[in-house]
Structure formats: structure tokens, C-alpha cells
Amino acid sequence: MENRNIGVVVSIRGSIVDIAFDSRLPPIHSILRAKQGTIVIEVLVQLGTFRIRGIALTPTQGLTRGTWVEDSGGPLLAPVGKGILSRMFDVFGNPLDRLGRPTGIQWRSVHHDPPSLAHRSTHAEIFETGIKLIDVLVPLERGGKAGLFGGAGVGKTVLLTELIHNMIRHQEGVSIFCGIGERCREGEELYSDMKVAGVLSKMVMVFGQMNEPPGSRFRVGHVALTMAEYFRDDEHRDVLLLIDNIFRFIQAGSEVSGLMGQMPSRLGYQPTLGTELSGLEERIANTDSGAITSIQAVYVPADDFTDPAAAHTFSHLSASIVLSRKRASEGLFPAIDPLQSNSKMATPGILGEWHYNLAQQVRRTLAQYEELKDIIAMLGLEQLSPDNRKVVARARRLERFLTQPFFTTGQFSGMAGKLVSTQDALKGCERILRDEFNDIPESALYMIGSIDEVFKEAEHATQFHDA
């Protein structure tokens, strides 16, 4: 009993709680508990010899001045081990799937340093996704970080869900889905979809929901990373870490900073934005024992890519996949903008000469079409030179060929999902650039898998037209 470190609440401002201790102050990041453990507070600042300021990770209803608070003696812990697979957790490691507490697990601190440079792998390797547009133009790095940038409703979550589906089906790794500030509807839908797809056994889900306090949303990313590090370092497995949405992590940090009374930085963001984001991102790395490959959805406020949240996130990524509202409105899904998206892996040394040159040709053709769009809008296609008309025909066919039906949207679109190897996608682009499909209607290239399906689609369209 005498070892218990007890403090008393002296002030409460929303989620910020000041607590006075008589003897020793708990260290930064310590977890304090009040009201029989129902209210959890994390120490953020030591204000003096006897007072700390903390952020509540749970709602503070019922907490009053004079309430006793007990120091737990350690930081926030996350469950790790094989027992967490196929389960869904909150920030405290409590199961959300109503299947009881997991067995055969350990508990580890969520605060770790990034792996040292000496233990990082320097070998560059491509991470194949089965999505044509990504594999051809924006190849992802194994053990790298890729961002999905886009405003509201352009398909970030759908693309993330498809990537999970493709990865687990065709790779022997583990997927960890971290929902930061997610709607409960999205969490429930993802759980059901993964169960139906039969891939739940290689997956862990962690959610800090939208209605939870900012402290809880801020820490949920660290919990997911701790789980990912266990599978990488202890089990030597490759991990796919999906974060939806990294902007909500920054937003939660901004709320905590505002509650703490810190002076805001540019556009009202917290002054510590860069440090907080680095603390999370630098732990995602490729080491000698395994790799954590991360794909992160990034909400872009008002589609403004100069926003500090988007700009800071860009600097950490090896690939940026930019989703375009214009392409989504044209029905070109996935609605990835091929000219704004880029990858550090797109070099001849990593991809090989053939892939690199072909990707450059595809980009060049699409860029020329983009420049000609204004002329077409004003004067019409007939006013273009024969060479430019050929460029437009190639570009429009490439745009349609780079669309793809997804497994995760099959129930809505009525089209079965397609997984396409990089080789098949490249051969298709090469044949389009050689004008092999000039006699085939553009629509035959829309929402197909490999290029060989074109003739079936064209035949189907002809039969439909004759009927």
C-alpha cells in the first residue's frame, strides 16, 4: 500500500487535468487512473515540484476537484503477440469485437525510439499491389511509406481497403489497420468486408474513433506501431501498416496543443507538428529482420496541398498517390492523378530500363493530352493536327486501361474485382502506345484487368449494339 503514489485533482479544463502530488512526481508519459480506473490520464508536463498537467484519454465526466488519482507506475501499454491476430482493439488494448480478452499476449510500452541507422536495410525493393496505375506509374517501396492524398469523398478508404485485400491474399505478411478519428460505420464495414473476404486471420485492427477524446486519437497510432514492430522484430515478418487517416492524428495533436494553451503556429496548427509527426513516421522502417510498409490516407483540407498538414506529411513519404476529384467525376477509378502522383522508386536502376521508359512514355502522352484539352474544348478535336489526334486517342485509351474494378466495390458496381501483375499492366500500356487498339472502341478498355480482355469487351459491345 505504501508504494502507491497518490495525487489529487486541482483543476480540470476539458480533457486537461492538473494534479498535485505530495512526494514524487510521475515521469512524463506515465498513466494515471481515477474513479476505480474508469478515467485514464497521461502525464504531459511537470509544472513544478508538486504538480503535473495531463491529458485525459477517456471522457472526464464525473471527475471533480479533490478526486484521488493513482499513478500506475508506467506508460500506456499495447497488447502484442500472435493472440492479437484477427482481433479489433481500442487505444487501451480492450477488444471491440465482443470475443473476450485475447490469450497468449504480452503488454509493451507504446513509446519506442525509431530503429538506429545501423539496423536499417538499404536495399530498395518494389512492393507489388496488383493495381495497374500504381504498379506502372507510382511503384511502392517495400518498407517505405506511401501517402494517399485527397479531399473528402474521392476514394481514399476504398483504395486502402483494396490494398489490404490484395496484400493479404498474395503475400505472407500481416496487415495492421489503424483507424485514427474513424467513423464507427467505417470500422464496422471494414471488419465485415475482411471477414467475408476470408483475410481476417492475418489482420489486426486498432481504432481511435471520431467521438473519443483527442488524447485517445493521438495515441492510437503509437499503439498500432507497437504491434507492427512486434511482428517485424520478434516474428521477422513483413507488415503492411495502413493508417486512415494521418491528418486526424495531426488534428488530435492540434486539439491537445490548444487545450494545453500553447501558442498556435501557421494556420492554427500546433507548434510541435513536425516533431510529433516525425516521432510516429520514423518508427516505420525497413530493418534487417523485416519491413513495415506503410500506406497512409491523408485528408487534404479544402483540396489545398500547401496546407501544413499535407506539406509536412509529404516530406516523410517515398511515394505520393494523389487522388483527383475531377477523375472521380469522370468515372475513372481508381481516381489517381497520374501526373501529380510520384514515387522515389521510379528510377531505371530500381525498375529496369523497359519499365522506366514505358512509364515515362505513358506520363508524356497523358501530359500532352492535358495540354491539348483546352484547344479541344474551344475548337473541337477536328482542329488538331493528325499527330495530336493520335496522341489524344492513345491518352484516352491509356486512361481507360488504367481503370480497374475492385474486389471491395464488387457488391456496389456489379463487376468482379481484378488483380493485374505489373508485367501484364506494362504489356498493355506498350501495346496501346503502339496503336494496336485504334480499331477498338475506347469503352472496351474501361474497367478491365489485363489487355487480353479487350477483345471480349469489344465483342460484347458489338453484340449489344447489334441487338
Side-chain angles (χ1 to χ4, degrees):
M1 271 307 267
E2 52 278 3
N3 289 334
R4 289 169 64 192
N5 190 16
I6 303 290
V8 179
V9 173
V10 290
S11 80
I12 306 158
R13 293 186 312 284
S15 291
I16 294 294
V17 185
D18 285 9
I19 300 161
F21 285 84
D22 281 341
S23 52
R24 65 183 190 278
L25 280 187
I28 304 290
H29 297 322
S30 292
I31 289 293
L32 316 176
R33 297 181 185 275
K35 296 272 181 186
Q36 287 85 46
T38 56
I39 294 173
V40 181
I41 299 158
E42 182 180 27
V43 177
L44 287 183
V45 184
Q46 293 178 338
L47 293 174
T49 317
F50 302 110
R51 280 177 67 175
I52 65 98
R53 180 165 289 166
I55 180 90
L57 306 185
T58 53
T60 51
Q61 283 94 331
L63 193 65
T64 56
R65 289 173 68 181
T67 302
W68 295 102
V69 177
E70 186 177 355
D71 176 11
S72 71
L76 182 65
L77 302 174
V80 298
K82 287 181 179 170
I84 66 172
L85 286 169
S86 81
R87 302 299 301 273
M88 187 194 272
F89 298 95
D90 67 7
V91 70
F92 304 110
N94 300 320
L96 298 173
D97 48 16
R98 294 181 290 197
L99 295 174
R101 297 202 72 79
T103 53
I105 58 165
Q106 309 161 27
W107 293 84
R108 287 192 186 169
S109 164
V110 302
H111 304 283
H112 291 285
D113 291 329
S116 67
L117 289 174
H119 292 116
R120 292 190 182 221
S121 168
T122 53
H123 181 59
E125 216 177 308
I126 296 294
F127 193 74
E128 198 169 317
T129 64
I131 297 169
K132 289 182 283 192
L133 207 156
I134 294 177
D135 290 339
V136 172
L137 296 177
V138 201
L140 304 187
E141 179 186 5
R142 177 181 171 270
K145 296 182 271 277
L148 298 179
F149 290 83
V154 291
K156 295 185 296 296
T157 304
V158 170
L159 193 50
L160 268 190
T161 315
E162 185 70 8
L163 285 163
I164 296 172
H165 183 278
N166 292 0
M167 288 306 104
I168 299 181
R169 276 285 174 87
H170 299 90
Q171 309 235 355
E172 281 305 303
V174 175
S175 272
I176 295 177
F177 183 90
C178 174
I180 305 178
E182 281 284 88
R183 299 164 185 85
C184 58
R185 166 184 64 77
E186 291 172 340
E188 196 278 327
E189 281 173 6
L190 180 71
Y191 185 80
S192 306
D193 289 347
M194 295 299 112
K195 204 169 184 178
V196 170
V199 294
L200 207 55
S201 61
K202 292 183 185 174
M203 205 171 166
V204 187
M205 296 186 203
V206 193
F207 284 96
Q209 288 169 211
M210 213 172 236
N211 61 322
E212 291 180 19
S216 170
R217 285 180 273 127
F218 186 67
R219 280 286 169 242
V220 75
H222 299 95
V223 171
L225 255 170
T226 306
M227 293 173 174
E229 285 166 343
Y230 164 81
F231 286 111
R232 180 191 67 192
D233 301 335
D234 294 36
E235 302 252 334
H236 305 301
R237 291 169 81 170
D238 279 3
V239 184
L240 179 66
L241 174 66
L242 300 119
I243 302 176
D244 189 7
N245 186 308
I246 204 75
F247 172 77
R248 306 255 176 248
F249 167 76
I250 293 168
Q251 195 178 39
S254 177
E255 287 177 49
V256 171
S257 174
L259 287 164
M260 290 285 288
Q262 291 178 340
M263 182 72 76
S265 178
R266 196 158 71 91
L267 294 186
Y269 285 102
Q270 64 271 42
T272 50
L273 190 158
T275 317
E276 289 169 2
L277 190 61
S278 303
L280 188 75
E281 296 281 9
E282 288 302 304
R283 285 170 65 182
I284 302 168
N286 194 350
T287 67
D288 306 334
S289 55
I292 299 176
T293 304
S294 171
I295 299 171
Q296 308 166 9
V298 188
Y299 166 69
V300 181
D303 292 349
D304 173 19
F305 284 90
T306 63
D307 187 271
H312 274 273
T313 310
F314 262 123
S315 63
H316 290 281
L317 306 172
S318 56
S320 303
I321 298 168
V322 178
L323 295 165
S324 146
R325 198 173 299 283
K326 188 167 172 290
R327 286 177 72 83
S329 66
E330 290 168 10
L332 299 171
F333 291 105
I336 298 167
D337 187 324
L339 301 177
Q340 279 201 317
S341 304
N342 61 72
S343 167
K344 289 174 183 164
M345 304 300 281
T347 63
I350 297 168
L351 297 181
E353 292 289 340
W354 178 59
H355 183 161
Y356 175 75
N357 291 335
L358 205 52
Q360 291 299 96
Q361 267 182 280
V362 170
R363 276 183 189 275
R364 203 176 302 119
T365 307
L366 294 172
Q368 284 174 294
Y369 176 43
E370 200 60 39
E371 286 169 11
L372 292 168
K373 275 183 181 173
D374 287 345
I375 299 170
I376 296 165
M378 286 188 290
L379 305 173
L381 194 60
E382 297 74 29
Q383 300 303 312
L384 296 179
S385 68
D387 283 350
N388 281 345
R389 255 181 276 177
K390 277 184 186 169
V391 167
V392 170
R394 274 181 220 132
R396 287 180 65 85
R397 282 172 170 77
L398 280 170
E399 276 186 343
R400 276 144 191 77
F401 175 62
L402 292 172
T403 61
Q404 193 166 339
F406 281 177
F407 291 95
T408 46
T409 55
Q411 66 207 64
F412 309 113
S413 64
M415 287 184 273
K418 301 277 170 66
L419 190 100
V420 185
S421 71
T422 307
Q423 288 299 311
D424 283 351
L426 287 168
K427 279 173 193 164
C429 291
E430 188 176 46
R431 290 176 68 182
I432 291 167
L433 288 167
R434 287 203 303 246
D435 296 333
E436 284 187 31
F437 301 101
N438 281 0
D439 303 331
I440 302 276
E442 287 172 5
S443 57
L445 289 144
Y446 180 66
M447 285 293 171
I448 59 167
S450 66
I451 200 75
D452 301 328
E453 294 174 34
V454 169
F455 301 106
K456 289 180 206 164
E457 287 294 319
E459 200 177 305
H460 178 71
T462 310
Q463 286 170 356
F464 182 76
H465 188 265
D466 292 346

